[in-house]
Amino acid sequence: MKHSAKSIYTIVISLMLSLPVSYGQFKPKKTFDAEPRSVDITEAKLQFNPISLSNDVGSHRLNISQANTLPNLNIKRKAKVLRNQRGIYAIKKPTMLGAAMTTTEAVDHFIAEQFAVPIDIQVIETTHKDTRRHVRVQQYYEGIKVYGAQATFHGNASGFDFYLGHLEPEIRINSTDPRFSSEEIVAKLEAQYPDHTQGWDIPVGLDKLLPKKRFEVELVAYKDKDTSYKLCYHIIAFPDRVHKKEIILDALTAEVILEFDAICTLHPGDIYSATKLHSAPPPEVGSGRDVFDQNQTNINTWSSSGTFFLLDASRDMFREDLSTMPNDPVGAIWTLNGNNGAPQNQNFTVNHHLDNNNVWDDPVAVSAHLNADISYNYFKNTHGRNSINGLGGSIVSITNITDRNGNSMGNAFWNGQAIFYGNGDAAFKELARGLDVAGHEMSHGVIQSSANLAYQGESGALNESYADIFGSMIDRDDWLIGEDVVKLSAFPSGALRNMQDPHNGGNGLPDVGRGWQPAHYDERYIGQENNGGVHINSGISNRAYYLVASDSRVGKQKAEKIFYEVLTKFLTMSSDFADYRAALEQVVARDYGTNSGEWAALQNAMTLTRIPGGGGGNQGEEFDPNPGEDFVMMTTASKSGIFFYDPDSGQNPTQIANVGLLSRPSISDDGTVGFFIDDQKRMRVLQGWPDNTQIGFAFQNPLGIWRNVVISKQGD
């Protein structure tokens, strides 16, 4: 859908008179020849006929200094807006401001220009790449975090030209006062989840590897599907020291609204007293045979008093000054032994892998340790990322893990702090065999430390997909995932997943258990299993990556950098496939241009995978910039009177209506009609400005019952 005029925006600027203003565009006067028209309020079956009220119309000017009070207004704010069923998810604004702005100023200015009302946000991350600036924000409502309402802004020191995210311009919640305290909620959860009532004594040394608290409780504003916002508790709960659940619970009724598992697994199947060493000995290099019976001679270890530890303290990130060796290293690559135990159980223990001659005879431990080294090197050398968290945090792998009943486990997972490896079952060999498995699980940590994609629905599918993408780039000799760990009896294709062909030899959803995934968006799974299909729908974006990276115009080296930047700089916890596409298009257009081979390759991938967005279709719409001229509509600090300002005229604002306001005017996209609520809570209509302003009531009986009104951009 295309319009001849752009969306109308509301901004707040610090003026001498503290004037809240509405910003918009109108068509040039030479083409503004339409007579004021009546507005058919179709839904209400009413007809508005403008009524000129002399006491409500004014024409005097405000005596304010334009230079000092209206900075940065004399620019054209033309933007392309991407919308889908969730609302606006991306804004592309090609023009930039002239003066340097702080991060906060630039974010506030962008929000003020592009949204209808001020939005309460906090900056949670700022990064720079070359001359580009990237900012991640979280929205709040009256001091309460809005769940999933995050966004990223992108530009340079002069301002931002791209927005991606899901901020909510209008939020109303039932209450900001919870009926139940967080302590009462925890008590209710302990009664509802009996496993939580078990002891929670964490062995000394495990406190850095396993959850410290059974519940993390935070008050949030939460929107349940298409309903209004509710005051809720967002709870991260640990049924045991490995598994992780996320729960949304109504703070007024204690009703559970949403619950899902948030542990990141490879597939959807079901420490010590310490002595401070003042000087750390140099790292050692050992040898040993891996799970493929290959002799490895480059195993980085650490030693003390003739005992060798499977602990790599040779990296630049290692902090000897902060480390207590060997039980609490900071910035190490560290492989530990789970002793064929289940982390869920209270008797779970973890020990060092030890050797007395630095020749290692545990193939699983050797492979897990080397794969962690290789994965670390990939992120460091390819993306300049300093470990999983980007800050040099230790990388911990724990081998020899069983299920709760002591059975050998056919899975690997990331619990938020460490990678756990099972030794296989009827469907899987030892999980430490897979370099792509190690890369996949470590990538979950990278995802958690950057976009933190919620492990549910489309954001969860992107979470799984990104783990596969980087797993395939770390083990980059093919497009298969898990080919070294699966058994043919369970996966006849020879792989857990296939990024080139997500169908992986299967014939649809009944073959999900054998590795089938959708190859395009129209095949996506829309049910509730597997957290809304996180391991299923990831095949869509996996194939998109394959199509881009295998295109001769792009290749793996370009593709991995493009997709990494999208993850770490653009996406947020609630990002979906449309956000994914919009961010990819923004980065490729910025770096290579829309006439490039890289752009053509990306568009081909998006077409073949049918990922929504990109300027059309029933999943997303792109609106062309409004070609009209800028104007500002404002009121005084006491919300008395409506004033019109043309930033190109050089004149001061002119009063066009003498009326008190309760809400800002909402203006049609072509700039011909506006609605607002006056200070008597009556709905008013304004049109014909600036030369033939008319104002009237929206209803024959102007009831004083309204709080706000918004007109569609089309004016219908």
Side-chain angles (χ1 to χ4, degrees), residues 428-467:
F428 291 89
K429 304 172 187 177
E430 304 96 330
L431 276 299
R433 294 170 60 92
L435 174 57
D436 52 6
V437 173
H440 177 101
E441 299 305 337
M442 187 178 293
S443 296
H444 276 306
V446 173
I447 295 161
Q448 174 184 308
S449 301
S450 53
N452 194 27
L453 291 158
Y455 206 61
Q456 184 199 31
E458 289 192 11
S459 59
L462 288 174
N463 192 318
E464 275 298 320
S465 178
Y466 260 108

Side-chain angles (χ1 to χ4, degrees), residues 6-7 9 76-81 91-94 110 114 623-626:
K6 68 172 279 188
S7 300
Y9 311 113
K76 300 296 180 286
R77 300 172 180 80
K78 303 184 187 303
K80 286 192 175 182
V81 179
I91 299 173
K92 305 175 184 180
K93 186 169 73 71
F110 195 104
Q114 306 300 337
F623 292 80
D624 284 343
N626 186 323

Side-chain angles (χ1 to χ4, degrees), residues 28 57 91 161 282 424 480 500 520 545 706:
V57 177
I91 299 173
D161 56 12
L480 303 177
Q500 180 177 359
H520 54 75
Y545 180 78
W706 307 105

Side-chain angles (χ1 to χ4, degrees), residues 337-447:
N337 189 353
N339 300 303
N340 292 312
Q344 303 95 312
N345 297 335
Q346 290 301 305
N347 60 356
F348 178 64
T349 60
V350 173
N351 300 116
H352 289 283
H353 284 288
L354 302 175
D355 195 85
N356 58 11
N357 62 3
N358 214 12
V359 178
W360 298 85
D361 59 4
D362 184 339
V364 168
V366 168
S367 290
H369 195 62
L370 289 175
N371 287 343
D373 267 343
I374 294 170
S375 299
Y376 164 82
N377 285 335
Y378 169 78
F379 282 108
K380 185 69 162 60
N381 298 333
T382 303
H383 303 296
R385 188 175 188 87
N386 192 16
S387 191
I388 289 175
N389 64 359
L391 302 172
S394 289
I395 298 171
V396 181
S397 305
I398 304 177
T399 63
N400 301 319
I401 298 300
T402 69
D403 66 17
R404 186 190 296 273
N405 298 318
N407 301 315
S408 184
M409 185 180 73
N411 215 332
F413 61 87
W414 165 261
N415 79 331
Q417 292 153 306
I419 302 169
F420 293 74
Y421 292 100
N423 285 330
D425 57 13
F428 291 89
K429 304 172 187 177
E430 304 96 330
L431 276 299
R433 294 170 60 92
L435 174 57
D436 52 6
V437 173
H440 177 101
E441 299 305 337
M442 187 178 293
S443 296
H444 276 306
V446 173
I447 295 161

Side-chain angles (χ1 to χ4, degrees), residues 147 189 193 222-225 232-235 245-250 255-261 454-457 528 531-532:
Y147 182 87
L189 287 171
Y193 301 95
Y222 178 78
K223 188 175 184 179
D224 184 16
K225 298 180 181 178
C232 293
Y233 282 106
H234 174 217
I235 301 143
K245 288 182 179 289
E246 291 199 37
I247 301 168
I248 301 294
L249 187 145
D250 194 308
E255 173 192 1
V256 174
I257 297 174
L258 176 69
E259 177 180 352
F260 61 91
D261 291 320
Y455 206 61
Q456 184 199 31
Q528 299 302 312
N531 286 4

